[in-house]
């Protein structure tokens, strides 16, 4: 009993140190899986790898990659200011007034993908008397490049979200095979603890796979939803820029009337 208490105290200390080090993902996995561990010190990273084998090691690597991609994209989306649209109306007003240079100055002050796409259309019009299709095509070209930049590395989250449960299931199947092989080798001296212990260790990989996949899939859908909003904003801005180019300034209308 004293030795068992020392083991439990050691486990608590290890969990506290992991939390302080910022390993929230692994700690979350430990909380879910520790309920079936019966107090064993198996929920540290080393014990997870030892019990789950190379499949769990691969899943932990994928979780690190997933977390890195999520943090990178969150920082990119935040620094890009995707929600900023206050410059659209002033820029369109300047275009309607015939002041393309003034509209371009407004758009240059903002480093968002939407502002860059609109600025590309204004520059295209300033280079010559282009058709509406040419201006719209230039806005679409730059907008596509901006969207592509926002979508970069998202495929990693898609891949991780898809293969993590499959890897976990593969680990479970391999673990079940090993458990029944051990049961067969035991012959008539069958120990139920041998089978049950092998089964829960085998199911460990499925649990880890699901824990890795859920945040990746959730983040992927949220990030793609934000990108869809940007895409719709670019289409709307392109239409407004084209429409504004057809509005003749009041001075020009009075001169045409004379």
């Amino acid at each position: 009993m004293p030795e068992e208490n020392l083991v439990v105290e050691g486990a608590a200390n290890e969990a506290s140190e992991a939390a302080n080090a910022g390993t929230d993902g692994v700690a979350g996995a430990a909380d879910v899986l520790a309920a079936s561990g019966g107090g064993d010190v198996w929920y540290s990273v080393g014990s997870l790898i030892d019990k789950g084998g190379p499949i769990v090691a691969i899943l932990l690597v994928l979780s690190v990659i997933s977390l890195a991609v999520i943090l990178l994209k969150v920082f990119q989306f935040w620094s890009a200011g995707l929600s900023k649209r206050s410059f659209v109306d002033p820029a369109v007003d300047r275009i309607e007034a015939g002041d393309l240079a003034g509209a371009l100055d407004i758009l240059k002050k903002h480093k968002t993908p939407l502002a860059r796409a609109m600025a590309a259309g204004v520059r295209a019009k300033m280079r010559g008397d282009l058709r509406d299709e040419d201006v719209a095509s230039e806005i679409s070209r730059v907008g596509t490049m901006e969207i592509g930049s926002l979508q970069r590395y998202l495929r990693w989250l898609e891949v991780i979200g898809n293969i993590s449960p499959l890897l976990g299931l593969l680990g479970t199947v391999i673990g079940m095979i090993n458990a029944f092989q051990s049961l067969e080798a035991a012959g008539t001296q069958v120990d139920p603890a041998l089978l049950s212990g092998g089964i829960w260790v085998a199911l460990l990989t499925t649990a880890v796979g699901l824990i890795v996949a859920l945040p990746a899939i959730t983040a992927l859908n949220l990030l793609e939803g934000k990108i869809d909003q940007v895409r719709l904003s670019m289409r709307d801005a392109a239409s407004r820029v084209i429409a504004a180019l057809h509005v003749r300034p009041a001075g020009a209308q009075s001169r045409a009337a004379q």
Side-chain angles (χ1 to χ4, degrees):
M1 291 299 292
E3 293 180 358
E4 207 171 339
N5 292 333
L6 289 175
V7 170
V8 174
E9 291 176 3
N13 292 333
E14 289 182 4
S16 177
E17 292 174 359
N20 293 332
T23 55
D24 295 335
V26 176
D31 292 338
V32 174
L33 299 174
S36 61
D40 289 337
V41 191
W42 60 271
Y43 48 85
S44 65
V45 175
S47 297
L48 278 175
I49 296 175
D50 180 61
K51 291 185 177 295
I55 298 294
V56 168
I58 295 172
L59 288 171
L60 291 177
V61 172
L62 292 179
S63 70
V64 173
I65 296 174
S66 175
L67 178 60
V69 172
I70 291 172
L71 294 177
L72 174 64
K73 301 310 291 184
V74 168
F75 176 76
Q76 180 188 11
F77 282 28
W78 174 78
S79 60
L82 300 184
S83 301
K84 295 180 181 179
R85 295 181 178 87
S86 59
F87 56 86
V88 175
D89 289 337
V92 171
D93 291 340
R94 300 312 305 164
I95 295 173
E96 290 178 350
D99 184 9
L100 297 182
L104 188 59
D105 290 338
I106 293 174
L107 295 172
K108 283 182 178 179
K109 296 178 182 178
H110 301 273
K111 304 301 182 182
T112 69
L114 179 58
R116 284 192 284 266
M118 292 179 64
V122 174
R123 290 193 187 96
K125 188 63 178 179
M126 292 175 67
R127 286 197 296 267
D129 190 14
L130 300 179
R131 298 176 301 172
D132 294 345
E133 293 81 1
D134 298 326
V135 176
S137 177
E138 183 65 10
I139 295 176
S140 177
R141 182 188 69 81
V142 176
T144 300
M145 294 178 60
E146 295 292 338
I147 293 295
S149 176
L150 295 176
Q151 291 177 326
R152 191 175 301 148
Y153 302 125
L154 287 185
R155 185 58 62 94
W156 277 100
L157 295 180
E158 182 179 357
V159 171
I160 291 173
N162 288 331
I163 70 172
S164 293
L166 297 178
L167 283 173
L169 181 60
L170 174 62
T172 295
V173 171
I174 294 174
M176 295 289 287
I177 292 173
N178 293 334
F180 282 107
Q181 284 180 338
S182 300
L183 189 63
E184 180 184 15
T188 57
Q189 304 296 325
V190 177
D191 185 3
L194 180 66
L195 180 60
S196 61
I199 290 175
W200 78 257
V201 170
L203 292 175
L204 172 65
T205 58
T206 296
V208 175
L210 293 175
I211 290 172
V212 173
L214 286 174
I217 295 175
T218 301
L220 175 64
N221 283 277
L222 292 176
L223 294 173
E224 285 186 339
K226 192 65 176 178
I227 292 175
D228 288 339
Q229 293 179 6
V230 175
R231 187 181 289 109
L232 291 175
S233 297
M234 287 184 177
R235 291 177 182 174
D236 177 71
S239 300
R240 294 185 64 181
V241 169
I242 297 300
L245 291 173
H246 285 277
V247 177
R248 303 179 66 183
Q253 291 179 355
S254 64
R255 287 194 297 271
Q258 294 175 358

